[in-house]
Amino acid sequence: GVAQDALLDPLTRLPNRTALFDRGQRAIANAKRRGARLAVLFMDLDNFKQLNDSHGHAFGDLVLCLVADQMRSLVREVDTVSRHGGDEFIVLLADVGQRADAQAVADKLIAAIGAPVSLDGRTVSITASIGVAVYPDDGSDMAALIARADAAMYESKRGRRGGYHF
């Protein structure tokens, strides 16, 4: 329906920023009640601009949809993968026992996205940088967690592409 569409990114059909914030605030309230942790992973594709420039936007869109599908298949039902705009994605891990759990997901995402794929008769390799923020250690609301994860992602880009940073 229309209300549902308002919460989805039109290209990838992933939940959008509004949907993510809503689910995130609910997950935080839930984690707070249970004294649990959750994690926010901010992911940015490293070489997306070059891909778009050399292969065109239609190809770039294919890549974004492929990445969206890969990410969706790697997380649990309770987690949320959302598109934040451009080539940025945010994953909400609704319940993580410890930081190592979030690390394991970041590893899986980077490995899956980094595997060369054949799209439209071309083979492409995409690397992603991820920043991770954990509730309650790194922030107590969605805005703070996203900001911290975003900052950590930039740290990761500075270090080496295709990695993650807390």
Side-chain angles (χ1 to χ4, degrees):
V2 175
Q4 187 58 35
D5 277 350
L7 296 175
L8 291 180
D9 168 56
L11 176 66
T12 58
R13 309 303 289 165
L14 288 176
N16 63 17
R17 204 182 289 222
T18 310
L20 174 79
F21 256 83
D22 185 46
R23 290 183 193 186
Q25 295 296 72
R26 279 205 304 262
I28 286 172
N30 199 11
K32 192 180 249 165
R33 258 200 319 277
R34 297 180 15 249
R37 283 191 151 103
L38 61 83
V40 170
L41 277 57
F42 196 110
M43 186 181 97
D44 176 87
L45 304 181
D46 293 324
N47 41 356
F48 189 70
K49 196 183 164 337
Q50 295 91 297
L51 261 182
N52 250 346
D53 292 347
S54 55
H55 298 304
H57 285 279
F59 189 75
D61 286 353
L62 277 181
V63 169
L64 291 173
C65 290
L66 175 80
V67 167
D69 289 343
Q70 286 176 321
M71 292 177 75
R72 228 187 321 234
S73 70
L74 284 172
V75 301
R76 305 162 302 181
E77 276 295 300
V78 292
D79 302 324
T80 302
V81 175
S82 69
R83 183 169 176 217
H84 206 55
D87 59 340
E88 294 179 335
F89 296 87
I90 293 180
V91 183
L92 170 70
L93 300 177
D95 187 1
V96 291
Q98 57 224 10
R99 288 170 99 84
D101 298 342
Q103 225 164 315
V105 175
D107 274 331
K108 277 200 311 202
L109 288 170
I110 286 167
I113 288 158
V117 284
S118 186
L119 260 186
D120 220 22
R122 278 168 281 202
T123 301
V124 287
S125 234
I126 302 144
T127 59
S129 295
I130 296 180
V132 186
V134 178
Y135 167 88
D137 322 36
D138 301 320
S140 56
D141 61 49
M142 262 325 261
L145 290 169
I146 289 172
R148 297 293 294 277
D150 187 16
M153 187 270 298
Y154 277 101
E155 277 302 307
S156 161
K157 271 200 188 301
R158 264 207 292 280
R160 59 180 176 85
R161 292 174 180 251
Y164 60 83
H165 201 90
F166 273 88

